[in-house]
Amino acid sequence: MAIVVGTIIGSGIFLVPSEMMKAVGSSGLVYLAWVVGGLLSLFGAMTYAELGAMMPYAGGEYVYLRGAYGDRTGFLYMWTWFAVAKPASIASVTSGLARTLGIFAAFHWLDTPVFGGGPGGHALILWSQIFAIGVTWLITGLNYLGIKKAGDFQVVFTVLKALLILIVAGFCFSSALGSWSHFATSVNPVPGGFTGFMVALIATLWAYDGWNDLTMVAGEVKRPEKNLPFALIGGLFVVGVLFMATNAAIQYILPAAQIAASPRPAVAALSVVAGPAGAALVAAGMALSIFVTLNGTVMSGARIPFAAARDRLFFPRFGEVHPRFKSPAYSLVVQGLLSSVLLLALGRFQQLFELAVFAEWLFYMLTATTVFVYRRRPPEMARPYKVWGSPVLPAVFVLCAGVVLVSSFAGNLQGSLIGSGLILLGLPLYEWVRSKYGSGVVRS
């Protein structure tokens, strides 16, 4: 549950309310996007709970897709997560950390250029990008030392971040400076309509992202048939309550126009309530929260190429376990390198999370369809948990994921085309790997 809650709650809840307000223009629609995004993520988590309890192996979605649709589909999933989704997710989290720390005078240097300048005087490389790369390697190093150390870190700091969120909400709702009338305010002009709502929904889905990460380390979970469904569904409920409380607290203190204008709405709200000290508290808590999210993301991402390599569907070195630390060391290092390249190539927070959402939801949709395949074959497999409301809830999740995917593609056409190109590069790579290492090993 610490992996689910700790990975999901990162910078998103503190940062994306601004992006959302600028897209839809009203507090009511922002809150509606949070509710819809939460329900959609819950439907996905319930579907994954059945798959994870039935097949509790390292690699999560890779295992489900490969078992249902064959080696090629499993490989493309692994390649997408390895080359696009996880590096983009790690890069967006670390760039969000740099953006958060920018509130402190001691970190103002993060917005200054390292060298050079592009057209119009824009810096080519900022110190914030270098800082984000350094943080990526710090957490990669922690996971390199083994899952026990990384897991202990996850549990302790997830509890601390949940307490911090409740404290922030309590400060806001107990303040005489807040007003329920702020929920009726709006800001114009905005894209609005269906397009604007989808931009806001994609932002919430990025904030909720991470509910699937537990399945990737399922092979290291005790009593997975019981603990995986409980942690996935229970963890997402906890996240939903904390997200709704935080969003309501921000809207209680700030009108819509101020939320849209602030790059850090939670910090702005606490500045109103408690002055600079309150803003500093939130910023420090956000930084801590992001560290915990990053830890869960790095931990889970490295297990996917590791699982594929063990099945002879990727380069054998990715399947190596460190002799002392028992971690997928090589996989962790290469994941850190790819994330560093993305941070240098893009660097912008919104570009990074939109790229991550596009790549991830393509395979969330496809993975959810496997529950229908496994219900037909093999029907004799043990199913410790069956998704409630089947087949309606999984079907709703698949349909909505398709809508999100189309909207994400259209809203970030350049990034989506880059992501699609990287995914398709996996096809010739698959043929080469298979010819070199032979057919994959089928799990029993």
Side-chain angles (χ1 to χ4, degrees), residues 339-403:
S339 302
S340 301
V341 169
L342 261 185
L343 281 163
L344 289 174
L346 295 178
R348 278 186 57 234
F349 173 70
Q350 186 167 354
Q351 278 183 317
L352 290 164
F353 85 64
E354 286 178 348
L355 179 58
V357 167
F358 164 74
E360 290 170 353
W361 278 82
L362 171 62
F363 281 97
Y364 288 170
M365 178 180 68
L366 191 58
T367 302
T369 65
T370 67
V371 77
F372 305 116
V373 176
Y374 288 116
R375 286 288 181 94
R376 294 196 311 272
R377 65 165 178 86
E380 71 278 1
M381 283 186 73
R383 287 173 173 79
Y385 169 83
K386 286 189 176 182
V387 57
W388 179 83
S390 180
V392 176
L393 288 191
V396 168
F397 177 79
V398 170
L399 179 63
C400 292
V403 174

Side-chain angles (χ1 to χ4, degrees), residues 381-431:
M381 283 186 73
R383 287 173 173 79
Y385 169 83
K386 286 189 176 182
V387 57
W388 179 83
S390 180
V392 176
L393 288 191
V396 168
F397 177 79
V398 170
L399 179 63
C400 292
V403 174
V404 169
L405 190 62
V406 171
S407 180
S408 176
F409 194 98
N412 183 17
L413 186 60
Q414 181 180 359
S416 298
L417 288 173
I418 292 171
S420 299
L422 287 170
I423 293 169
L424 292 175
L425 279 177
L427 289 173
L429 181 61
Y430 165 76
E431 299 299 335

Side-chain angles (χ1 to χ4, degrees), residues 171 175 177 268-281:
F171 265 120
S175 173
L177 299 173
L270 260 290
S271 297
V272 172
V273 173
L281 171 66

Side-chain angles (χ1 to χ4, degrees), residues 142-229:
L142 174 65
N143 279 269
Y144 191 96
L145 296 177
I147 196 167
K148 182 66 171 67
K149 289 182 174 61
D152 291 344
F153 176 94
Q154 192 77 9
V155 171
V156 171
F157 288 99
T158 294
V159 172
L160 288 177
K161 82 155 79 174
L163 289 174
L164 174 78
I165 288 174
L166 293 175
I167 290 170
V168 168
F171 265 120
C172 290
F173 283 119
S174 63
S175 173
L177 299 173
S179 173
W180 293 108
S181 64
H182 291 161
F183 287 83
T185 59
S186 60
V187 59
N188 285 299
V190 295
F194 179 77
T195 301
F197 183 77
M198 290 306 299
V199 170
L201 179 60
I202 288 169
T204 69
L205 292 176
W206 181 80
Y208 277 111
D209 190 45
W211 50 265
N212 63 311
D213 281 11
L214 179 63
T215 63
M216 300 173 193
V217 297
E220 295 154 279
V221 174
K222 296 177 181 178
R223 295 192 301 168
E225 70 285 349
K226 175 182 177 182
N227 290 329
L228 279 172

Side-chain angles (χ1 to χ4, degrees), residues 8-32:
I8 294 176
I9 302 177
S11 60
I13 182 57
F14 300 108
L15 299 177
V16 298
S18 174
E19 318 283 349
M20 295 166 68
M21 188 63 74
K22 284 185 284 191
V24 296
S26 74
S27 300
L29 286 175
V30 166
Y31 215 78
L32 179 62

Side-chain angles (χ1 to χ4, degrees), residues 81-94:
W81 244 244
F82 168 73
V84 185
K86 277 299 177 182
S89 185
I90 291 168
S92 65
V93 169
T94 51

